[in-house]
Amino acid sequence: MRAIGREDLKKWEKMQRAALGSEEKILVLVRLSPLSEKEITRNEVSDWECINENTILYRKSLQERSGLPTAYTVDRVYKGDYSTRKVYERGTKEIALSVVSGIYLTIFTYG
């Protein structure tokens, strides 16, 4: 375990001040699944595309999905080539460490 640095402490204090003045907040981060080696070998493409850092697009226009949206906007989207470490460092580290300041949180992951 590493020592808490001055910069980390400043971030946590800032987050705590923000949390005290606000109510609940839900932050949605999405990492698109990278294709498996099997999918790559078969020249498959993902059904989802990251069109910018906040929007994902469903590529297939299936009849049964006709009433559903094809694009979704969230707080942050990471492409499939982002490693788990990069997603942690750039997306959830600050959130996860905020628990040290007394902020209650849940991080839900799937996949």
Side-chain angles (χ1 to χ4, degrees):
M1 183 181 278
R2 69 176 180 86
I4 298 172
R6 188 173 292 178
E7 290 301 314
D8 288 335
L9 186 57
K10 285 180 185 178
K11 286 180 186 177
W12 295 332
E13 289 170 349
K14 180 181 176 185
M15 289 173 61
Q16 186 174 23
R17 285 191 302 272
L20 292 174
S22 64
E23 295 188 18
E24 296 179 9
K25 179 175 180 173
I26 296 174
L27 181 68
V28 178
L29 308 175
V30 174
R31 176 185 172 223
L32 298 177
S33 296
L35 294 175
S36 68
E37 291 198 23
K38 190 177 191 179
E39 291 168 323
I40 293 169
T41 302
R42 293 189 294 202
N43 292 324
E44 293 183 21
V45 294
S46 176
D47 292 340
W48 295 93
E49 179 183 357
C50 173
I51 58 175
N52 62 41
E53 67 179 30
N54 300 100
T55 308
I56 54 175
L57 177 70
Y58 186 71
R59 291 184 188 197
K60 294 186 178 184
S61 57
L62 301 174
Q63 186 68 18
E64 63 267 14
R65 285 191 50 92
S66 62
L68 298 173
T70 57
Y72 298 88
T73 300
V74 297
D75 294 295
R76 183 70 166 96
V77 177
Y78 299 96
K79 294 180 180 182
D81 60 353
Y82 265 68
S83 69
T84 301
R85 171 144 324 268
K86 271 186 179 178
V87 172
Y88 172 73
E89 291 289 335
R90 296 181 182 173
T92 59
K93 179 180 179 180
E94 190 172 319
I95 298 165
L97 294 176
S98 68
V99 77
V100 175
S101 297
I103 296 174
Y104 297 105
L105 64 101
T106 300
I107 297 176
F108 176 78
T109 61
Y110 173 80

